[in-house]
Amino acid sequence: MDIENNNITSNLIYRNDIPIGKRKILLAAIDLFYKQGFDRTSTVQISKEAGVSEGVIYKHFKSKQGLLDAIINPVFTDLSLHINNSLISKDKYTEKDIREIIAATIKEKMAYLYNNKKIIKIMLIELMNNTDLCNRMKTNFSINYPTIINSLHSIFKNKHISNEEVLRLIMGSLFYEFFKMVFYDDYNSTKLKNETENIINSIFTYVD
């Protein structure tokens, strides 16, 4: 499994055009926000961790909130459960098609969660405290939900399972694995591969 293709965190930090000082600030802020939360982290702590002055933070991000937005926005708009559009256009799906769609979707989303777990955890915590961010998430979900359900209906319409059941099974499995990624220190790339295969096989068993 190529887990680097879904690494928005790496793309955010290691772009060629990003100044070194800004990169250090992003790295320090992500680490501190992840470990102790946004509200409990000061710009003084970030500047000390990054090895830059506080003024450099405000030069690049204007405020601590602006720094948070720069970190979570790239991930925020990409969290929906996307399904490969090239596989949705068929009128009828074979068993092989369905298995390929399930496997590809789970592999992609597991790699995404693994590569971006720090930023996703930061964002999820902020959702509980930030009304504006929560409303943006609700709007994003409302826009994407009909597309997701229609896609699932097209794929699983000949199966004895509802769209909601499929979505609940996939999302529940992903959230459970994300919890383990965050809290289990031994969750490495090998475990990622094994757990991904376990989820795929469980879903195959459920929808057969």
Side-chain angles (χ1 to χ4, degrees), residues 12-103:
L12 170 68
I13 295 169
Y14 295 109
R15 296 195 323 264
N16 291 331
D17 62 337
I18 192 170
I20 294 175
K22 187 175 183 179
R23 178 179 295 131
K24 288 180 178 180
I25 293 166
L26 286 167
L27 283 168
I30 290 171
D31 193 52
L32 289 170
F33 291 164
Y34 176 74
K35 290 178 179 176
Q36 58 191 40
F38 174 74
D39 289 334
R40 294 182 179 180
T41 302
S42 68
T43 52
V44 173
Q45 288 177 300
I46 295 169
S47 65
K48 184 177 180 180
E49 183 74 15
V52 300
S53 69
E54 247 188 307
V56 176
I57 296 176
Y58 292 110
K59 173 187 174 183
H60 289 296
F61 301 101
K62 308 303 180 187
S63 65
K64 190 174 78 163
Q65 182 64 48
L67 174 55
L68 175 67
D69 291 341
I71 290 170
I72 65 176
N73 280 343
V75 170
F76 177 84
T77 56
D78 204 44
L79 267 181
S80 298
L81 182 65
H82 299 299
I83 299 190
N84 192 327
N85 288 329
S86 65
L87 298 174
I88 295 175
S89 58
K90 297 183 179 181
D91 293 325
K92 186 177 181 180
Y93 291 87
T94 66
E95 287 297 319
K96 183 174 182 292
D97 290 333
I98 294 173
R99 286 176 175 270
E100 286 179 352
I101 292 169
I102 292 173

Side-chain angles (χ1 to χ4, degrees), residues 3-18:
I3 65 173
E4 293 303 321
N5 288 337
N6 287 306
N7 200 332
I8 287 182
T9 303
S10 181
N11 294 340
L12 170 68
I13 295 169
Y14 295 109
R15 296 195 323 264
N16 291 331
D17 62 337
I18 192 170

Side-chain angles (χ1 to χ4, degrees), residues 139-160:
T139 300
N140 190 43
F141 182 78
S142 298
I143 292 171
N144 285 283
Y145 184 74
T147 302
I148 295 169
I149 291 298
N150 288 336
S151 299
L152 291 174
H153 175 70
S154 297
I155 296 166
F156 296 102
K157 60 184 177 183
N158 294 320
K159 295 286 186 179
H160 299 293

Side-chain angles (χ1 to χ4, degrees), residues 118-143:
K118 287 188 176 183
I119 294 180
I120 294 172
K121 180 192 173 187
I122 292 166
M123 189 186 71
L124 290 177
I125 291 173
E126 283 306 301
L127 279 171
M128 294 185 287
N129 304 308
N130 188 318
T131 302
D132 178 62
L133 185 63
C134 187
N135 288 334
R136 285 170 58 199
M137 178 62 83
K138 288 178 182 177
T139 300
N140 190 43
F141 182 78
S142 298
I143 292 171

Side-chain angles (χ1 to χ4, degrees), residues 3 109-118 120 178 181 187-190 192:
I3 65 173
K109 293 308 165 187
M110 283 286 284
Y112 187 87
L113 292 173
Y114 183 79
N115 285 325
N116 302 291
K117 68 178 182 179
K118 287 188 176 183
I120 294 172
F178 178 70
M181 289 176 193
Y187 203 110
N188 53 29
S189 58
T190 300
L192 171 68

